[in-house]
Amino acid sequence: MGRRKHKRKNSHVVIVTSDAADADLKQFRIRPWITQTLMLLFCIGIGGLIGYFVFEDGIRRTEEDQSEKQQEIIDTLEAEKAQLEEEIATLNDTVQILSDTVNQKTQAESELSEQLEMQAIPTKPPLKGGTAGIEEPTGEGDPICVFTATPGSIVVATANGTVSVVSEDAEYGQSITIDHGNGYMTVYRSQGEAKVKQGEVVTQGTTLFLVGENNSKLGYQMIKDGVFIDPLEVLVING
């Protein structure tokens, strides 16, 4: 039989001494597996520390990046907010201008409407230029004012309206009736030649007759809501 081989047991010796002259040496035997275990634990510890610092640095960098991105987003939002506020201010100014324009237009339209309404009320005298006398209406028949005008005078429409009738007049020769569209109608009776036609739109001051030597008389009547009224109740005569 061959010799049986024994497994050699290795161990590490740790010698501990001091710098004293008479110091004793102390030896410690450490099993290899203990040394290996300690080295393994040491390496694991070092690796853990390195990993920890690397991880912490990564987290710190990530947080810094996120903070920078958040600040960029905040700055962008602030800039957009400032721009929106500026646009809103501009729009408010535009709205105010438009509102003022609309108010001015409304006021102008209201004033124009009032002016047109006033121009449709027959308050102006039916004669223009020269001088004229007037005979007030009597209590007989439909009220009529008779004007005696000097040659060269002009018989004019006393308000805006539409010529509804141009006809012959047994007493005066010609008769023109104007409908003012607001319940008022005026009648102009003269021996002159009518200068307007039926259906024609006239304005306050439109020429109806020319006054000459043979047609100095003008009969002027006024109707309100289908009833003849005294023209002097509405006419405004200055002088």
Side-chain angles (χ1 to χ4, degrees):
M1 294 179 62
R3 294 181 61 185
R4 187 176 179 182
K5 292 184 179 180
H6 295 278
K7 185 177 180 182
R8 185 179 179 182
K9 297 181 179 179
N10 295 324
S11 63
H12 298 279
V13 177
V14 178
I15 300 174
V16 180
T17 186
S18 68
D19 58 356
D22 57 350
D24 294 332
L25 295 176
K26 293 182 179 181
Q27 296 182 359
F28 298 93
R29 291 183 178 277
I30 302 176
R31 299 289 185 181
W33 66 269
I34 296 176
T35 304
Q36 293 173 0
T37 303
L38 291 175
M39 291 298 294
L40 179 61
L41 292 175
F42 178 77
C43 291
I44 291 173
I46 294 298
L49 287 174
I50 294 173
Y52 172 78
F53 287 116
V54 171
F55 179 73
E56 284 292 320
D57 184 66
I59 291 177
R60 181 180 59 81
R61 290 180 181 275
T62 302
E63 290 178 348
E64 289 178 354
D65 292 341
Q66 290 179 348
S67 179
E68 290 178 359
K69 290 180 180 179
Q70 289 176 353
Q71 188 60 44
E72 289 178 359
I73 294 173
I74 291 172
D75 293 341
T76 302
L77 291 176
E78 289 292 337
E80 291 178 354
K81 178 183 177 183
Q83 183 177 358
L84 287 174
E85 289 177 348
E86 183 178 354
E87 291 177 356
I88 289 172
T90 302
L91 289 174
N92 287 336
D93 292 340
T94 303
V95 169
Q96 185 61 45
I97 292 172
L98 290 175
S99 178
D100 293 341
T101 302
V102 170
N103 290 337
Q104 292 174 0
K105 183 178 180 181
T106 302
Q107 183 177 359
E109 290 177 349
S110 178
E111 291 175 355
L112 178 60
S113 177
E114 291 177 1
Q115 183 178 0
L116 292 175
E117 288 179 3
M118 290 299 299
Q119 291 178 351
I121 299 176
T123 57
K124 299 293 184 179
L127 288 167
K128 185 177 180 180
T131 58
I134 182 173
E135 298 177 14
E136 297 185 10
T138 62
E140 298 177 0
D142 297 328
I144 182 170
C145 288
V146 179
F147 292 86
T148 302
T150 57
S153 300
I154 302 173
V155 178
V156 296
T158 55
N160 299 346
T162 303
V163 178
S164 58
V165 178
V166 177
S167 62
E168 294 183 357
D169 187 284
E171 183 176 355
Y172 286 87
Q174 290 285 321
S175 175
I176 298 174
T177 301
I178 297 177
D179 185 352
H180 300 287
N182 53 4
Y184 282 101
M185 298 180 69
T186 50
V187 182
Y188 309 80
R189 304 166 69 182
S190 172
Q191 291 182 350
E193 180 182 355
K195 299 298 181 181
V196 293
K197 298 179 180 180
Q198 184 175 341
E200 185 175 341
V201 177
V202 297
T203 58
Q204 197 174 66
T206 297
T207 299
L208 304 179
F209 295 104
L210 298 178
V211 178
E213 294 291 342
N214 59 347
N215 64 332
S216 59
K217 296 284 187 181
L218 170 67
Y220 180 66
Q221 293 177 291
M222 188 177 297
I223 301 170
K224 172 63 174 173
D225 297 329
V227 179
F228 282 91
I229 63 173
D230 184 352
L232 295 179
E233 295 178 357
V234 181
L235 283 177
V236 177
I237 300 176
N238 298 323

